[in-house]
Amino acid sequence: MEAFWGSDVWGTFALVSVLLIGLLAANALKRSIRVLKVSLIPTSVLAGILLLAFAGVWDIFSKTPFFASELFGGLEVVEGASGAPIVRERGYALLEIITYHALALGFIASSFKSGKTKMTKKRTTEIFNTGVTTVATYLMQGILGLGITMLAAYLMKDFFAAAGVLLPFGFGQGTGQAMNYGNIYELEHGFFGGKSFGLTIAALGFLSASIGGVIHLNILRHKKKIAVFDEDEAAPEEAVENKNEIPMQGSVDKMTVEIALVALTYLLTYVIMFFLGKALPGMKSTIYGFNFLLGVLSAVLVKAFIRLFKKIGWMKKEHINDFLMTRVSNVCFDIMVVAGIAAIRFGLLENYWGVILILGAVGLVSTYIYERIVAKTLFPEYAEEQFLMMYGMLTGTASTGTILLREIDGEFKTPAADNMVYQNFPAIAFGFPMMLLANFAPGNELLTFIIFIAFFAAMNIILFRSKIFRKRNKK
C-alpha cells in the first residue's frame, strides 16, 4: 500500500501542476511582451518551450534530469515488451502518457459538437475539397520527408530511413500522433530516439505555423488587404445554455455531464481497442496508436444512441453543449501540446539535428506553397482565410489554424472555420490507408515512397477534378 505522502502518489499531480503553471507563465509572457504577442506562437507551444528550457538548465546543474527527479516519482521498474524488467524515468513516461490520451480526448470532445451549417451542394463540395486537401498535404509531406531520410540513410551509417514518415504526423497531425508513430518505430523497429524525433518535428511544425503565418499576415497588412483582428476584442460567442438543454447548474453541473460523456466514449474506445488487439495481436501497437480515430468513431456511435434515446422518449433534454465541449477539447489539446514538447529529449537527437532542421524547413516551404495554390484555385471567394486556416492546421493543429484564421476573420464570417470542422470525415476516409502505410514503411521505404507518389497524384486529380475535366471538355 502506498503512503499518502509518497512521490508515486503525488508525482502525477505534481507533473500536471507544472504543465499548467507553464501555461500560466507563457500566457503572462505573451500578453506582456509585444514580440511574443505578435509572433502568433500558440501559448501552449510557448509553455512547452519554457518547460523544455527550464529542464535543460536543471540538467546542467543537476545529475538527475528534471522530469526524472523524485518530485515526479523518480525511477521505476516496469515490465518491458519482452517480459524483462526495465527501468524508466516516471516523469517522462507520464508526459508521453498524457500526450497520448489528451490527443484522443480532445478529438472525442470536438466530435460531439453539432453542425449548424446549412449544407448546400457548394458547401458540401468545399468541405469535401478541404478534406482531400488535408490528405494530399499529408502525402506531399510524406513524400518529401521520406525522400530526405532515404537520402540521409544512404549518406549516414545506421540512420533510420523511414524517419521522414514522421513529417506528416508531426506537421499534419501534431504532437500526439508524432509521438505515437515515433514510439512504434522505436519499440518495433529499433529507431533509437524515435519518440523525441517525432515530438521535435511536431514542435518545428508549430514554429513553422507561426513563422509562415506572421510573414503572410505582414505581407497582407503591407498591401492593406486586411484589417487584422485584435485578440483582445470579444470573440464570437457560443451559447452556454440553449433551449431545451439540461440546466447549467441542476442536480449535476452541466460541465460534469460533458466530461462524463467524453469519459464514457473513451471507455468505449478502449473496449473496442482491447478486443481488436486480442483479435489481431500482430497489429496491437497500430490499433492502440489509432486511439484518436477510434475515439471519433465511438463519439459518432454515442451521439447516435443519444438521438435514439431522445426519439423514443428516454431523454427529454439535450445533454451536449457545443460551447462546453469546445472548452473540454481545447483544454485537452493545450495539455497535449505542452506535455509533448516538454517530453523532448535533446540528448537522444545529437546525431539527427541536420536532418531534423532540413525536414522542418522543407515542411514549412512546401506546405506554404501547396496551400496557397489550393486556396487560390479552389476557394477564390475566401482564399486568404482558407489558406491561413489550412496552413496553420497542417503545420500544427486545428487550434493553430483557428489562431491564424482569427487574425483576419475574427467573427468567422467566411466558411473557412466550418470547413476545418467538417473536413475530418472525408480526411479520415482518404487518410486511413496512409496511416497503415506508415507501419509498412520501415524496411520498405522505396515501395512506400512510390505508393505515396501514386496516392498523391490520385488525390490531386480528385481535388482539381473541376479544373482538369472542364479543360478537357472544352477541348
Side-chain angles (χ1 to χ4, degrees):
M1 180 179 176
E2 295 287 347
F4 290 126
W5 53 84
S7 59
D8 286 348
V9 176
W10 284 92
T12 303
F13 175 78
L15 185 68
V16 173
S17 298
V18 166
L19 296 178
L20 294 174
I21 290 168
L23 276 168
L24 289 175
N27 187 57
L29 288 174
K30 189 170 182 185
R31 298 185 77 81
S32 58
I33 300 176
R34 178 167 175 75
V35 174
L36 292 176
K37 188 173 183 179
V38 301
S39 70
L40 298 182
I41 296 176
T43 302
S44 54
V45 175
L46 181 58
I49 292 172
L50 288 176
L51 290 177
L52 199 58
F54 179 83
V57 173
W58 176 283
D59 292 355
I60 292 172
F61 295 101
S62 173
K63 294 181 180 179
T64 304
F66 178 61
F67 289 109
S69 64
E70 200 63 32
L71 176 65
F72 307 113
L75 303 178
E76 63 179 357
V77 179
V78 297
E79 184 178 314
S82 63
I86 58 173
V87 178
R88 70 174 183 178
E89 297 158 328
R90 190 169 186 270
Y92 282 105
L94 285 172
L95 286 172
E96 293 165 7
I97 290 169
I98 290 170
T99 304
Y100 170 79
H101 289 300
L103 171 70
L105 292 169
F107 267 100
I108 288 169
S110 297
S111 300
F112 270 113
K113 294 176 64 178
S114 61
K116 298 184 175 67
T117 299
K118 186 178 179 180
M119 287 296 172
T120 62
K121 183 179 180 180
K122 180 182 177 183
R123 291 293 301 117
T124 303
T125 299
E126 290 174 340
I127 289 165
F128 177 80
N129 286 343
T130 303
V132 175
T133 303
T134 298
V135 178
T137 306
Y138 293 165
L139 290 163
M140 178 193 68
Q141 292 168 342
I143 291 166
L144 295 172
L146 192 53
I148 290 168
T149 54
M150 285 169 62
L151 178 61
Y154 178 76
L155 299 174
M156 299 165 58
K157 185 180 178 181
D158 297 328
F159 186 82
F160 187 69
V165 177
L166 294 175
L167 180 61
F169 291 109
F171 269 54
Q173 296 195 8
T175 313
Q177 278 298 89
M179 190 201 73
N180 282 352
Y181 275 89
N183 187 50
I184 290 171
Y185 288 172
E186 188 169 322
L187 294 179
E188 297 188 3
H189 302 286
F191 180 21
F192 179 71
K195 283 180 291 192
S196 285
F197 192 100
L199 292 171
T200 305
I201 293 294
L204 289 177
F206 283 111
L207 293 177
S208 297
S210 304
I211 293 168
V214 168
I215 291 172
H216 189 76
L217 286 168
N218 283 331
I219 291 172
L220 295 179
R221 201 178 293 169
H222 180 71
K223 293 181 178 179
K224 297 182 179 179
K225 288 187 175 182
I226 60 166
V228 178
F229 180 77
D230 185 352
E231 69 170 8
D232 290 326
E233 292 179 15
E237 293 184 357
E238 295 176 83
V240 180
E241 190 166 339
N242 292 306
K243 187 178 179 181
N244 201 39
E245 282 189 350
I246 57 174
M248 179 59 70
Q249 294 179 334
S251 57
V252 60
D253 192 274
K254 185 184 279 190
M255 178 62 91
T256 305
V257 174
E258 310 306 297
I259 294 173
L261 286 171
V262 173
L264 167 66
T265 304
Y266 202 32
L267 179 60
L268 175 61
T269 304
Y270 171 68
V271 171
I272 294 171
M273 291 190 298
F274 178 82
F275 284 108
L276 283 175
K278 290 289 186 182
L280 303 167
M283 294 188 64
K284 191 170 184 178
S285 295
T286 303
I287 290 166
Y288 279 86
F290 286 160
N291 65 328
F292 78 102
L293 175 57
L294 292 171
V296 169
L297 297 177
S298 297
V300 172
L301 185 61
V302 171
K303 284 176 70 175
F305 273 106
I306 289 174
R307 286 194 296 269
L308 175 63
F309 293 158
K310 286 184 67 180
K311 187 175 181 179
I312 63 179
W314 289 5
M315 280 185 177
K316 303 296 183 184
K317 291 184 175 293
E318 181 62 58
H319 284 60
I320 300 171
N321 178 271
D322 285 0
F323 175 83
L324 295 179
M325 281 298 182
T326 300
R327 305 285 74 76
V328 174
S329 66
N330 286 352
V331 168
C332 291
F333 287 139
D334 282 341
I335 293 293
M336 177 194 76
V337 172
V338 180
I341 294 176
I344 295 171
R345 305 294 297 273
F346 286 132
L348 303 179
L349 302 172
E350 57 185 354
N351 297 323
Y352 304 148
W353 278 112
V355 177
I356 287 173
L357 292 176
I358 292 171
L359 286 171
V362 169
L364 188 161
V365 174
S366 61
T367 306
Y368 183 96
I369 293 172
Y370 187 70
E371 300 313 319
R372 285 296 292 159
I373 293 171
V374 172
K376 292 176 74 173
T377 305
L378 300 179
F379 303 87
E381 295 176 5
Y382 51 98
E384 299 298 348
E385 290 84 356
Q386 180 75 6
F387 163 73
L388 284 169
M389 179 273 293
M390 291 298 290
Y391 175 75
M393 182 178 72
L394 291 168
T395 50
T397 62
S399 298
T400 322
T402 303
I403 289 169
L404 292 179
L405 177 61
R406 285 191 70 231
E407 293 294 317
I408 62 171
D409 186 15
E411 296 181 2
F412 300 137
K413 292 180 179 179
T414 68
D418 284 339
N419 290 349
M420 178 173 63
V421 174
Y422 295 112
Q423 62 87 31
N424 281 304
F425 291 102
I428 287 171
F430 284 114
F432 185 70
M434 180 187 170
M435 295 180 185
L436 293 177
L437 277 172
N439 291 281
F440 174 76
N444 302 285
E445 291 83 8
L446 182 57
L447 180 57
T448 303
F449 183 72
I450 294 170
I451 295 173
F452 276 179
I453 292 174
F455 197 6
F456 178 66
M459 287 294 99
N460 278 282
I461 291 172
I462 294 171
L463 184 60
F464 295 104
R465 62 197 179 280
S466 61
K467 306 295 180 182
I468 295 170
F469 296 111
R470 186 178 66 184
K471 288 179 179 179
R472 285 185 177 179
N473 290 335
K474 283 183 178 180
K475 291 178 182 179

